[in-house]
């Protein structure tokens, strides 16, 4: 909204993400244009972006999925070449880095979520937007309060986009602990990397500081793995079972199955296992052992 993206505009993003990424595009009246992922990182494949840029393209919205940033250099180059905004969906990536730069500090804006499952979670819903552009920051602040400045004088139609004060209070307590949360997750990931012998482990690029919002494995027979983990009462989740281009609400975009093979394959094969900092050594070992004992995968 603050970048004035609306009817008739196109925004390029990935179909392998949480719905909100494309939902935000559609809700301002613009059209999500999907580009397949790099199967190693699950992030948008920058090599496939340029062919999707048209006169209507206003922005690229890379998603830093699972806590690893998308390959930002080629994305920023394209944005510069075609004068596009870059909106980083950093919902899962607070504290992650690309070549030493933090998520949300490279694009035009960065969008973060404080949903409880995130590395920095509040006790309900919350989020922030970051930008290095002072003028845009001011506009975002105005949009946050129904588009008013001064109070009761509206130059835009914004919304109630404030961070709830109770959530802010919770976050204020948790923020100083964030770094230790990242380190705990990285330590747990290291254990899994050494110990798990089945399935495809997460791939971390050399440019990345991965903060492991998720630890995601891949199995040909993923559904059997899910059943085994459930039987063993090991928490697990499939992020995400249906890529966005084949969601019912996007029928009108005209995509069909087969359009984004890497995203579709990932949707059938991924499964995420517990990674949070407070896991005990016994719990981590139990998860790894259960996976190593899997048969027929
Ligand atoms: C990749 C991604 N984008 C956007 C969101 C939306 O965040 P929120 O639920 O805080 O609006 C999420 C949250 O789950 C997410 O994982």
């Amino acid at each position: 909204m603050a970048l004035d993206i609306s009817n008739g505009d196109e925004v390029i993003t990935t179909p392998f993400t949480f719905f909100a990424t494309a939902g935000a595009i559609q809700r301002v009246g613009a059209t999500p244009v999907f580009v397949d992922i790099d199967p190693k990182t699950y992030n948008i494949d920058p090599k496939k972006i340029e062919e999707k840029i048209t006169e209507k393209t206003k922005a690229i919205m890379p998603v830093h999925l699972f806590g690893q940033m998308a390959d930002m250099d080629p994305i920023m180059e394209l944005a510069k070449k075609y004068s596009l905004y870059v909106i980083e969906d950093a919902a899962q990536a607070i504290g992650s880095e690309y070549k030493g730069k933090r998520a949300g500090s490279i694009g035009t804006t960065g969008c973060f979520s404080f949903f409880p499952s995130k590395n920095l979670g509040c006790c309900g819903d919350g989020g922030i937007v970051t930008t290095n552009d002072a003028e845009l920051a001011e506009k975002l602040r105005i949009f946050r309060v129904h588009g008013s400045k001064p109070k009761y004088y509206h130059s835009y139609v914004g919304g109630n986009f404030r961070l709830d004060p109770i959530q802010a209070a919770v976050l204020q307590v948790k923020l100083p602990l964030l770094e230790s949360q990242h380190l705990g997750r990285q330590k747990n990931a290291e254990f899994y990397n050494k110990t798990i012998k089945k399935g495809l482990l997460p791939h971390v690029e050399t440019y990345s500081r991965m903060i492991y919002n998720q630890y995601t494995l891949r199995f040909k027979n993923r559904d059997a793995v899910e059943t085994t983990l459930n039987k063993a009462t090991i928490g697990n989740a499939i992020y995400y079972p249906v890529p966005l281009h084949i969601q019912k609400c996007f029928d009108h975009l005209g995509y069909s199955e087969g359009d984004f093979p890497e995203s579709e394959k990932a949707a059938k094969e991924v499964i995420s296992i517990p990674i949070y900092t407070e896991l005990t050594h016994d719990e981590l070992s139990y998860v790894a052992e259960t996976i190593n004992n899997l048969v027929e995968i």
Side-chain angles (χ1 to χ4, degrees), residues 18 41 153 206 252:
F18 180 57
T41 61
Y153 291 80
T206 49
H252 64 282

Side-chain angles (χ1 to χ4, degrees), residues 25 45 61 78 85 99 126 206 243 252 258:
I25 299 167
D45 184 344
M61 197 188 284
L78 284 171
Y85 298 123
K99 301 185 181 174
T206 49
H252 64 282

Side-chain angles (χ1 to χ4, degrees), residues 17-18 20-21 63 65 89 91-92 113-115 118 125-126 240:
T17 176
F18 180 57
T21 311
V63 178
L65 205 67
D89 181 337
Q92 301 184 8
S113 168
F114 299 135
F115 184 73
K118 305 299 193 285
D125 282 298
Y240 296 92

Side-chain angles (χ1 to χ4, degrees), residues 15-35:
F16 192 62
T17 176
F18 180 57
F19 179 78
T21 311
I25 299 167
Q26 174 85 40
R27 267 186 290 103
V28 295
T31 304
V33 174
F34 296 115
V35 166

